Amino acid sequence: MSAVYINSAACISVQDTLNKNILQNLNPENSVKLLKAIEPNYKEFIPPAMIRRMSKTVKMSSVASHYALKDAGIEQPDAIIVGTGMGCSQDSEKFLKNVIDNHEEFLTPTFFIQSTHNTVAGQIALGLQCHAYNFTYVNTSSSLEFSFLDAQLQIKDGEAENVLVGSTDEQTDRTMELYCLNNTIKKDSDLPADYLHSTTKGVIWGEGASFFVVGKDKTENSYAKLADIKISNRLELEETSDFIQDFLTKNNLSAKDIDAVMLGFSGDADSDTYYTKAMGLFPDSSLLYYKHLSGEFNTASGFSTFMACHILKEQQIPEVMMINGKKKEEVKNVLLYNHLAGDDHSLVLLEKA
């Protein structure tokens, strides 16, 4: 697969990622069950009349995409591709509540129309008056990775030169209640969470929106080179080493060539074993983790991609992300490994631009 360049990166997350000096101002959190995104002043970006009709994920994505396009110096992308795990679940819950409260009669269609997963990509296109290719991927924790793959294909086939790629997910009250009931989210008694050596089930849940401009050509502002992606829906624990090793071999790399490995430790004892297994393959690399900064959610890999882009561009690795003490003089290759509750495993290889 031909490589493309990530020419801008913007993120709204639990951290203050819209401001400068991102790598120096990271604050981990392990003592609450739900982490809320730090939201900007939406009135600076969206007309007040529209804000009232937008769900949180649409608002976050609209602003993050604005920053990404501005950072890349592009007004109109050649395609808009968004990945989401839960979509506009806030409006979905409102619609279902209306169905129950009104006994399935006299329903207004607004919440239903705005509850579809492709609302985010559609609203961004409407705001930009962009009539280009517009697509949404809903593949749980690998939604962003599929979006990146599509962007690479669009560029390789000559259909686009600059593609706006994003990932977004929001928290909603009822869904979080259900996640607590089925132990997806940690119990109060299991807090504070130990992300690296957990003995309990469940995670701390987060939210956020990350957007990138993926381009055909390298620019002065390029953050990273998106070299390759690999996705597997199911993976047995003993297959982890081969899964990663085959990916490196395909890209003519060995474990020694990987300067930093970003692992999605979530604090869930059952599924974090995959990351523990992967750590053993990279004795000479900087081992990093990030979900103590973002929380776990369907598209948390958007946050890790954003952080990796800044690490490659600024050539700095924040101490708060480090698992081991190894640091190389130059960070050239970063490998991202993520999954959600043991399913939908993804590998993303980013290189210094």
Side-chain angles (χ1 to χ4, degrees):
M1 183 161 38
S2 58
V4 294
Y5 292 91
I6 297 177
N7 293 330
S8 76
C11 180
I12 293 175
S13 68
V14 172
Q15 304 296 322
D16 194 8
T17 38
L18 284 181
N19 287 329
K20 295 179 180 178
N21 302 319
I22 294 156
L23 299 184
Q24 290 75 38
N25 297 312
L26 297 170
N27 298 304
E29 179 57 73
N30 66 351
S31 57
V32 296
K33 294 195 290 187
L34 301 175
L35 298 175
K36 298 287 185 182
I38 297 174
E39 298 179 84
N41 182 3
Y42 293 122
K43 292 178 182 178
E44 294 179 9
F45 307 93
I46 308 166
M50 292 181 67
I51 291 174
R52 290 196 300 272
R53 296 195 297 271
M54 287 182 170
S55 65
K56 188 175 184 178
T57 193
V58 174
K59 290 186 287 189
M60 289 193 299
S61 300
S62 297
V63 175
S65 62
H66 168 84
Y67 272 93
L69 291 169
K70 185 180 178 181
D71 191 20
I74 290 170
E75 292 185 6
Q76 283 284 350
D78 301 316
I80 298 171
I81 306 172
V82 175
T84 179
M86 299 293 289
C88 299
S89 48
Q90 196 175 87
D91 285 320
S92 298
E93 286 190 6
K94 286 178 181 177
F95 174 71
L96 292 171
K97 187 175 185 301
N98 274 353
V99 171
I100 296 166
D101 291 347
N102 293 294
H103 308 290
E104 302 181 25
E105 295 178 336
F106 314 118
L107 300 173
T108 56
T110 309
F111 291 134
F112 176 74
I113 293 166
Q114 293 178 175
S115 70
T116 57
H117 288 69
N118 60 356
T119 299
V120 175
Q123 286 285 359
I124 293 170
L126 283 170
L128 296 170
Q129 290 297 294
C130 177
H131 303 283
Y133 178 85
N134 192 292
F135 209 86
T136 300
Y137 283 89
V138 186
N139 298 83
T140 58
S141 65
S142 53
S143 300
L144 176 63
E145 289 77 4
F146 276 105
S147 300
F148 274 137
L149 282 170
D150 192 354
Q152 283 184 315
L153 289 170
Q154 293 291 323
I155 292 168
K156 183 180 179 181
D157 292 343
E159 298 288 334
E161 289 191 5
N162 294 290
V163 181
L164 179 65
V165 178
S167 63
T168 182
D169 275 299
E170 65 187 358
Q171 292 176 7
T172 51
D173 295 339
R174 183 59 181 154
T175 303
M176 294 305 104
E177 286 175 12
L178 294 172
Y179 279 2
C180 288
L181 286 171
N182 72 359
N183 296 324
T184 296
I185 292 173
K186 282 195 181 295
K187 297 175 181 177
D188 289 323
S189 57
D190 294 330
L191 297 175
D194 183 345
Y195 279 87
L196 296 177
H197 309 101
S198 178
T199 56
T200 59
K201 292 183 179 181
V203 300
I204 290 175
W205 204 260
E207 61 182 355
S210 303
F211 276 77
F212 312 87
V213 171
V214 178
K216 176 184 176 183
D217 302 315
K218 181 182 174 182
T219 68
E220 291 180 2
N221 195 48
S222 291
Y223 284 74
K225 182 179 178 183
L226 179 58
D228 201 6
I229 295 170
K230 184 178 183 180
I231 300 165
S232 178
N233 179 243
R234 293 280 188 273
L235 195 70
E236 297 297 328
L237 182 60
E238 59 271 15
E239 296 172 336
T240 309
S241 298
D242 289 340
F243 176 64
I244 296 171
Q245 201 62 57
D246 291 348
F247 180 71
L248 295 177
T249 303
K250 180 191 168 191
N251 287 280
N252 300 313
L253 296 170
S254 68
K256 290 182 180 180
D257 297 317
I258 303 300
D259 302 304
V261 183
M262 202 172 288
L263 302 162
F265 278 100
S266 64
D268 177 57
D270 290 345
S271 61
D272 279 350
T273 50
Y274 287 95
Y275 301 125
T276 306
K277 188 89 171 174
M279 284 171 60
L281 299 174
F282 301 97
D284 302 316
S285 305
S286 296
L287 300 176
L288 314 177
Y289 70 126
Y290 61 92
K291 286 177 182 171
H292 61 310
L293 303 171
S294 68
E296 174 71 288
F297 55 103
N298 284 267
T299 50
S301 60
F303 181 82
S304 69
T305 306
F306 174 80
M307 294 305 300
C309 284
H310 276 274
I311 288 169
L312 284 164
K313 188 172 185 179
E314 299 177 32
Q315 289 294 297
Q316 292 181 37
I317 296 177
E319 295 288 339
V320 72
M321 295 180 69
M322 295 192 69
I323 299 172
N324 61 359
K326 294 188 181 294
K327 273 189 182 180
K328 294 191 178 180
E329 290 184 9
E330 185 180 13
V331 183
K332 292 181 180 177
N333 298 311
V334 177
L335 181 68
L336 312 180
Y337 176 29
N338 185 56
H339 64 71
L340 181 65
D343 293 330
D344 297 299
H345 299 253
S346 66
L347 296 171
V348 178
L349 177 63
L350 297 179
E351 297 177 1
K352 185 181 176 183

